[in-house]
Amino acid sequence: MSLQPADYDPVPSPLIRGKRMRGAQIVAAILKQEGVKQIIGFPNSELFDAAADLDIPPVIPRTQRVAINIAEGYARVTAGRELAVVTVQYGPGAESSFGGIAQAYNDRSPILFLPTGYPRGHEAVAPNFEARRNFRNVTKWCEAATRIQDLPQLMHAAISRIRNGAPAPVLLELPVDLLAELCDTDVGDYRSPRRSEPQAGAEEVQELADLLSKARNPLILAGQGVLASEATAELVAFAELMGIAVMTTPNGKSAFPENHPLSLGTAGRSRPATVDQFVAKADVILALGSSLTRSHYILPIPTGKVLLQVTIDEADLGKDYPIALGVIGDVRAVLRQIHNAVPEDEVAVGRLKLRGAAVAREIRTIRTAFLQLWMPLLRAESTPISPYRVVWELMRAVDPERTIVTHDAGNPRDQLSPFYEAIRPGSYLGWGKTTQLGSGLGFALGAKLARPDAMVVNIMGEAAFGMVGIDFETAIRCNLPILTIVLRNHVMGGYAASMPVATRKYGANGMSGEYAPIARALGGHGECVTDPSDLRPAMLRSLDRVHAGRATLLEVVTHEESRLPGLSLDMT
C-alpha cells in the first residue's frame, strides 16, 4: 500500500511544541508521534522511563545482541512500515551490540538504533567506546547529538533515512547528560518524514521490457527489496504476464508465493533442482530488489548470462557481477512501469501466455522428480530421527497462511529452505549473507511482536541454542509465545570436515546437554522426542501449547545429516 500524505502528521507535534522538556522526553515524544509500539533494549537507558511515561512499553531481553535481533525480526515482518527502535547503555552496551547491527546491515533491515553515549566532553577519552565512531561501517547514517535543541531535527534526519533509500540500520547516539538536560527554550517543530517511491526513467524501463520480451529463457531473481517495497502482488502479476519463472534469494524467500506454478523456490546454498535447471538454461536474468552479492550461502550466477538489475541502492549496481542494465528505483514502482511497457498486441500476449504455460509444466515435472528423490529422507523412519523428517512434519502441521518460520545458521537453514513453502510475504525470515549463530530466536521474538496473531516457529541446532538459549525466558516474560525446535545431535553439524584432526583426536566438534528441561525450568513447555513415530503428536502438542499462549521448546534427537539438496545427489 502506497503511503499517502494523510498517513503523516502535517503539523508540528503538540507533544514538544512550546514545552520545557528533558532530552529523553523529547526523543520519546517523537517516537510516540511516529506510532512506535515498544522500545527494545538492554539493560538500561534513559529512554525506557521517558517512553513508558507515554505508554510505550519496554521489551528487555537478556542481551544486547538479542535485542537487536528482535528489532530486525520486527522490522522485516512489518516491511519497515513500523519503526523498530532499539536502545542500549553506553560503553559495554554499545560494544555488545556491534554484532547484531552488523548482521542487520547485511540483511538490509531498517532499525532505528539509539544507544546512549558518554557524557559530552568524555567522547575522545580512551578507551571509551563511542558508537558514532565505531558503527560507521555497519550503518547507513551514524551521528551523535551534541545540543538538546537539535534533537527534533536529528530525529527527523534519522527516521527519514529509515523510510527512504536502501533499508539499513540508522544510528543516533544520545549522550546521557543530554538526555537528562532540561531544555529551557522551545525546541521547535517536528514533522513526520514521508516515504518516497522513486521511479526509473522511461527509456530504461522500455529497454528492460524489450529485453525480457525477446529473451528465450528469461528468469527473475527476487531479493529482499521486493519484500521491503511490498511488491509481491506486482511481481506475481508481472511474472504471469510475461510467463517468467521466479526464484528468490535466501533473504527474499516469501517475496514470491512458493506454491505458485511459476515459482522455482529459493536459490540458496542448498536449493531445489528447479533452481539449478532454470539457471543453467537462462539467457536473461532480472534481479529485482537484490544486491547481487556473492556469498557462500547463495547460488552463484554462471557466466554468459545477460544480467539486469533493479535496486534502490546505487552502490549495488554491478558491484559483484557485470550487468547489462542497472536501474535505480523502488521495486514496486519500477515493476508497475515495466508492466505498462510490455506490448499489449494480441500476438505478443498470446506468445507470452504460451511461454508461461510451458514454463509451469516444466517446473511441475522437475519439482515432482525432486520431491520423489528426497522423500525417503523427508519421511524417514530412522532412529535417531532424520532432520528432514522434522521439516516434513512441520510442513504438515502448520498453516502456512498463518505461520512465520525462521531458522538458524548452518544445517537447519540448509535443510529447511529447499522444502518449506513460504506463500505469504514476510512468512519466512531467511538470511544468507552473514549468518551469526543464535539469531533465529531473536528474529522469531520480533516476528511475534509484530504479528501476535501468527504462529511463529524457529528451528535451530544446539550450538545456536547455546549462544542465546536463556532468551527463551524472554518469550515467557514478554508474553511472546513461540515454538522453538532444537535439533540435538551432540555435534556441531558439518564442522568435522573443516577440522578433521581436531575432531578425530579431541572430539572438537562435540557437544552435550539436554534442552527441554531448560525450557521447563524457565517457565515454558518443553519436551524431547527420540522416536520418529512420536514426532507428529509432539509437534501438534507443541503447537497447541503455543496457541494457548505458552512458549514451547520441542527438542528432537536427530542424527547428523550431510546430504543437502543442490550439493549432494548421493541418496544412498
Side-chain angles (χ1 to χ4, degrees):
M1 178 181 71
S2 177
L3 294 179
Q4 303 298 322
D7 293 309
Y8 298 93
D9 186 353
V11 298
S13 170
L15 292 172
I16 65 172
R17 183 69 176 173
K19 294 184 179 180
R20 299 174 70 246
M21 306 174 73
R22 300 194 184 278
Q25 294 173 308
I26 295 171
V27 174
I30 290 170
L31 296 179
K32 181 71 173 180
Q33 179 177 332
E34 291 291 352
V36 170
K37 295 179 179 178
Q38 64 279 310
I39 185 166
I40 307 162
F42 178 89
N44 177 55
S45 169
E46 286 71 12
L47 295 180
F48 284 141
D49 263 7
D53 197 45
L54 297 176
D55 302 319
I56 302 174
V59 174
I60 302 178
R62 296 298 194 101
T63 69
Q64 292 87 354
R65 177 191 160 194
V66 171
I68 294 161
N69 293 156
I70 292 172
E72 176 169 345
Y74 187 89
R76 292 177 64 182
V77 167
T78 62
R81 266 43 179 185
E82 297 183 18
L83 279 179
V85 183
V86 182
T87 184
V88 298
Q89 182 178 319
Y90 67 89
E95 294 166 16
S96 299
S97 302
F98 193 91
I101 292 294
Q103 174 149 316
Y105 183 74
N106 278 278
D107 284 344
R108 293 289 178 91
S109 297
I111 294 172
L112 179 57
F113 186 38
L114 301 175
T116 65
Y118 284 94
R120 288 164 292 181
H122 295 267
E123 309 93 75
V125 178
N128 290 352
F129 183 93
E130 294 177 69
R132 71 179 180 91
R133 291 177 186 265
N134 289 282
F135 281 80
R136 291 195 182 279
N137 291 330
V138 292
T139 55
K140 66 183 288 188
W141 187 79
C142 187
E143 297 295 341
T146 58
R147 299 193 316 157
I148 191 171
Q149 295 89 347
D150 297 334
L151 282 174
Q153 180 181 349
L154 288 169
M155 288 292 289
H156 184 280
I159 295 170
S160 180
R161 285 164 173 81
I162 287 286
R163 291 200 170 121
N164 293 287
V170 167
L171 185 151
L172 178 60
E173 187 175 21
L174 302 169
V176 288
D177 62 318
L178 183 145
L179 291 174
E181 180 182 345
L182 183 65
C183 188
D184 291 321
T185 60
D186 189 344
V187 294
D189 296 346
Y190 175 81
R191 289 178 171 85
S192 185
R194 301 189 183 195
R195 184 190 301 276
S196 64
E197 295 184 355
Q199 296 187 350
E203 289 186 6
E204 55 191 7
V205 167
Q206 190 61 58
E207 188 175 351
L208 281 173
D210 291 344
L211 286 167
L212 291 168
S213 297
K214 295 173 182 176
R216 294 181 59 189
N217 295 300
L219 182 59
I220 292 175
L221 174 64
Q224 191 169 322
V226 177
L227 293 167
S229 65
E230 296 184 313
T232 293
E234 286 77 6
L235 175 55
V236 169
F238 183 68
E240 291 175 347
L241 171 69
M242 300 294 291
I244 301 179
V246 180
M247 61 183 180
T248 68
T249 66
N251 291 69
K253 188 176 173 75
S254 80
F256 190 82
E258 293 185 313
N259 60 346
H260 192 282
L262 295 175
S263 172
L264 300 176
T266 305
R269 172 175 179 259
S270 173
R271 57 198 175 271
T274 44
V275 169
D276 287 282
Q277 297 200 33
F278 271 78
V279 168
K281 71 174 186 176
D283 54 347
V284 176
I285 299 178
L286 171 62
L288 288 171
S290 169
S291 64
L292 285 177
T293 302
R294 291 183 187 268
S295 167
H296 177 68
Y297 307 104
I298 303 173
L299 175 69
I301 297 174
T303 58
K305 311 296 181 183
V306 175
L307 271 181
L308 314 174
Q309 188 176 14
V310 176
T311 176
I312 195 71
D313 188 353
E314 71 280 359
D316 289 342
L317 294 180
K319 72 172 187 180
D320 240 350
Y321 291 96
I323 58 174
L325 177 62
V327 175
I328 301 296
D330 175 81
V331 172
R332 180 168 60 177
V334 175
L335 269 173
R336 290 171 175 171
Q337 289 180 281
I338 307 173
H339 195 124
N340 293 334
V342 175
E344 296 183 353
D345 62 276
E346 189 173 334
V347 173
V349 171
R351 180 176 62 83
L352 293 176
K353 282 186 177 180
L354 288 174
R355 180 168 76 180
V359 166
R361 285 194 300 271
E362 185 176 359
I363 291 172
R364 186 167 58 249
T365 299
I366 298 169
R367 180 179 290 125
T368 299
F370 170 72
L371 287 175
Q372 286 177 346
L373 180 65
W374 286 87
M375 198 57 71
L377 289 186
L378 289 166
R379 302 182 66 176
E381 296 287 344
S382 58
T383 303
I385 298 170
S386 166
Y388 287 107
R389 178 67 181 269
V390 181
V391 172
W392 177 253
E393 295 299 349
L394 175 66
M395 291 166 59
R396 295 174 62 210
V398 299
D399 178 358
E401 287 280 0
R402 296 178 174 83
T403 302
I404 299 173
V405 171
T406 189
H407 52 71
D408 228 286
N411 285 343
R413 170 196 60 233
D414 296 335
Q415 291 157 351
L416 177 66
S417 179
F419 297 103
Y420 186 86
E421 285 191 344
I423 63 176
R424 176 176 172 172
S427 64
Y428 190 105
L429 298 183
W431 32 302
K433 292 178 186 172
T434 179
T435 54
Q436 299 170 11
L437 275 177
S439 298
L441 179 59
F443 291 172
L445 293 171
K448 187 67 176 180
L449 197 60
R451 291 248 331 262
D453 59 320
M455 170 60 66
V456 180
V457 182
N458 73 296
I459 300 181
M460 59 200 315
E462 57 193 308
F465 185 82
M467 301 281 285
V468 298
I470 202 69
D471 259 300
F472 182 80
E473 183 269 342
T474 301
I476 300 159
R477 174 169 40 86
C478 295
N479 191 28
L480 298 170
I482 62 172
L483 172 58
T484 293
I485 300 174
V486 178
L487 306 179
R488 188 189 98 192
N489 55 23
H490 282 171
V491 296
M492 294 188 291
Y495 282 89
S498 63
M499 49 181 180
V501 177
T503 297
R504 185 179 68 253
K505 291 179 68 175
Y506 303 109
N509 69 331
M511 296 193 155
S512 63
E514 298 178 10
Y515 307 103
I518 296 175
R520 294 194 293 270
L522 293 173
H525 176 76
E527 62 179 288
C528 179
V529 180
T530 60
D531 190 312
S533 63
D534 295 333
L535 182 55
R536 179 171 173 79
M539 186 86 70
L540 294 175
R541 278 195 305 272
S542 297
L543 292 169
D544 285 343
R545 298 290 193 281
V546 176
H547 277 303
R550 193 175 186 189
T552 296
L553 186 148
L554 178 61
E555 178 183 359
V556 184
V557 177
T558 65
H559 62 77
E560 185 178 15
E561 178 57 74
S562 61
R563 291 168 288 185
L564 299 174
L567 298 177
S568 172
L569 293 178
D570 181 7
M571 302 301 295
T572 59

